[in-house]
Amino acid sequence: MVKFLDLASQYQSIKADIDAAIATVIAETAFIGGKHVARFEEDFAQYQQAQHCIAVGNGTDAIEIALEALQLAPGSEVIVPANSFIASSEAVSRSGHRVVFADVDPQSYTLDPADVARKITPATAAIIAVHLYGHPCDMDSLLELARAHGLRIVEDCAQAHGAHYKGRRVGAIGDLGTFSFYPGKNLGAYGDGGAILSNDASLARRCRMIANHGRIEKYNHEFEGRNSRLDGLQAAILLAKLPHLDGWIDARNAVARQYLAALADCPGLALPSIAPDCRHAFHLFVIRTGQRDQLAKYLGDNAVQTGIHYPIALPALQAYAGRALPDATPFSVAAAKELLSLPIGEHLSADDVERVARLIHTFMAAQPQAHS
Ligand SMILES: *Cc1c(COP(=O)(O)O)cnc(C)c1O
């Protein structure tokens, strides 16, 4: 079986450190707040090259809190890519703003700056730049649009821990960056977790207060916030995993390079590309083909697990019926029927990758369009 994700084998490879971290937190009863959370915030900020890190409950909360901290005018329009997980847009509506979808670029699957420009109106206040699949957005173009139109940028880095854009790690290139530590992410906790990064001290302070009932001191609440926190066990687990993250991302890139070489001449497939001056975090390795469902079934029948990210573009979801026009983001809506995520991760051997690539070649060679 070629697994899509193998958290058990990752745990086995670092079991002693994880078990010790958990035992320490329990012995210290450092369940909420405390030194493990503080140390994780420091180490993660340093790893992502940001000045401030606020650990929160999950990646969805992180986006909501970041948006709230920006204090946009109520009802502002916020531009979100049409191809993403619903958290990217949900956070906009939840914080009282209006979602406006923009299409993604067919090469990088991240926001197409030209379409973002078309979607800007006088009511636009922010852009959610999702570094989807681990590939950084075209930040220079988005920053340029933001400067020209007075917009804020929240980077949704839930899939992009460790990704670089022109020599900088993602997360503090825009105003605020948000992360998820959902177990299956490149840096995953053993439960829920999230973080917000920023180089802006006052925005960071506001995020920290919102996540902690609007307070800085115990019972001194300056405003109503909410409760969203990373717990001590998750912080200690993440601290034990963080030193391995770059090695795991390198392993993902090695798998990606092997797929790219092995599938380069495969007809009927669109392969992911890597923009110059970027380090792709390869949370997902996504190919595109008109025979997606048949290929996924063929791989499944041959003991290869795959995924689809995402089967329905956000504007086409029932959740946005009457609020979004799927026709306004044609590439994302059409691509949702063709995207297929192949297994990727440090759990794969070169033989596994070769087997997957060989199966894909065999399947595609039997397709009529392969010969056209
Ligand atoms: C996983 C994910 C989120 C949400 O993170 P949670 O921790 O599950 O709330 C947000 N955006 C994107 C792009 C994601 O992949």
Side-chain angles (χ1 to χ4, degrees), residues 38-60:
R39 238 190 75 206
F40 176 71
E41 289 181 336
E42 258 172 51
D43 287 11
F44 191 63
Q46 193 181 18
Y47 174 82
Q48 291 291 150
Q49 301 170 341
Q51 283 167 29
H52 307 280
C53 173
I54 302 97
V56 297
N58 58 66
T60 308

Side-chain angles (χ1 to χ4, degrees), residues 102-113 135 273 288 331-332:
D103 219 338
V104 298
D105 171 80
Q107 247 69 55
S108 69
Y109 300 104
T110 60
L111 274 175
D112 171 7
H135 190 287
S273 61
R288 208 166 75 233
F331 174 75
S332 296

Side-chain angles (χ1 to χ4, degrees), residues 63-80 86-101 121-128 152 154 176 206 210 226 319-320 323-324:
I63 309 171
E64 278 188 43
I65 293 165
L67 278 172
E68 191 179 333
L70 289 172
Q71 298 181 285
L72 310 175
S76 292
E77 292 176 6
V78 177
I79 295 177
V80 179
I86 193 170
S88 308
S89 49
E90 207 174 31
V92 171
S93 313
R94 288 260 154 203
S95 25
H97 303 298
R98 289 191 8 234
V99 179
V100 174
F101 290 110
T121 75
T124 309
I127 299 169
I128 310 286
R152 313 306 292 265
V154 174
L176 291 152
R206 197 157 178 91
I210 293 167
R226 57 191 286 177
Y320 294 101
R323 283 198 289 154

Side-chain angles (χ1 to χ4, degrees), residues 111-113 116-117 120 127 129 131 137-155 165-166 168-176:
L111 274 175
D112 171 7
V116 172
I120 292 172
I127 299 169
H131 303 308
C137 293
D138 176 354
M139 289 303 292
D140 281 350
S141 301
L142 296 180
L143 286 165
E144 172 112 22
L145 285 172
R147 256 190 307 272
H149 299 273
L151 314 179
R152 313 306 292 265
I153 296 183
V154 174
E155 296 172 67
Y165 176 78
K166 300 193 175 175
R168 292 177 67 185
R169 301 223 171 188
V170 299
I173 301 173
D175 295 284
L176 291 152

Side-chain angles (χ1 to χ4, degrees), residues 29-289:
T29 65
F31 298 127
I32 297 291
K35 68 173 189 237
H36 302 285
V37 175
R39 238 190 75 206
F40 176 71
E41 289 181 336
E42 258 172 51
D43 287 11
F44 191 63
Q46 193 181 18
Y47 174 82
Q48 291 291 150
Q49 301 170 341
Q51 283 167 29
H52 307 280
C53 173
I54 302 97
V56 297
N58 58 66
T60 308
D61 280 4
I63 309 171
E64 278 188 43
I65 293 165
L67 278 172
E68 191 179 333
L70 289 172
Q71 298 181 285
L72 310 175
S76 292
E77 292 176 6
V78 177
I79 295 177
V80 179
N83 183 29
S84 187
F85 180 59
I86 193 170
S88 308
S89 49
E90 207 174 31
V92 171
S93 313
R94 288 260 154 203
S95 25
H97 303 298
R98 289 191 8 234
V99 179
V100 174
F101 290 110
D103 219 338
V104 298
D105 171 80
Q107 247 69 55
S108 69
Y109 300 104
T110 60
L111 274 175
D112 171 7
D115 199 47
V116 172
R118 283 191 286 272
K119 302 288 161 63
I120 292 172
T121 75
T124 309
I127 299 169
I128 310 286
V130 184
H131 303 308
L132 198 73
Y133 308 151
H135 190 287
C137 293
D138 176 354
M139 289 303 292
D140 281 350
S141 301
L142 296 180
L143 286 165
E144 172 112 22
L145 285 172
R147 256 190 307 272
H149 299 273
L151 314 179
R152 313 306 292 265
I153 296 183
V154 174
E155 296 172 67
D156 179 347
C157 312
Q159 302 187 1
H161 320 68
H164 298 189
Y165 176 78
K166 300 193 175 175
R168 292 177 67 185
R169 301 223 171 188
V170 299
I173 301 173
D175 295 284
L176 291 152
T178 64
F179 290 80
S180 165
F181 305 118
Y182 179 81
K185 307 288 186 182
N186 282 9
L187 179 62
Y190 287 5
D192 274 315
I196 304 167
L197 299 183
S198 186
N199 284 338
D200 180 321
S202 73
L203 279 179
R205 182 173 187 276
R206 197 157 178 91
C207 287
R208 190 175 291 289
M209 291 181 73
I210 293 167
N212 188 24
H213 302 290
R215 69 187 164 190
I216 285 297
E217 290 157 20
K218 191 152 189 182
Y219 293 117
N220 185 4
H221 306 268
E222 281 182 30
F223 56 85
E224 286 180 327
R226 57 191 286 177
N227 173 19
S228 183
R229 53 201 171 202
L230 184 72
D231 66 66
L233 281 169
Q234 302 308 336
I237 288 163
L238 291 168
L239 273 168
K241 291 179 80 169
L242 187 56
H244 301 280
L245 180 55
D246 273 324
W248 291 332
I249 294 172
D250 288 344
R252 287 175 174 275
N253 273 274
V255 170
R257 276 194 303 275
Q258 198 187 336
Y259 276 136
L260 289 171
L263 295 171
D265 59 351
C266 188
L269 279 191
L271 299 174
S273 61
I274 309 167
D277 305 322
C278 287
R279 181 203 200 195
H280 197 319
F282 274 111
H283 174 59
L284 294 169
F285 187 95
V286 178
I287 61 172
R288 208 166 75 233
T289 169

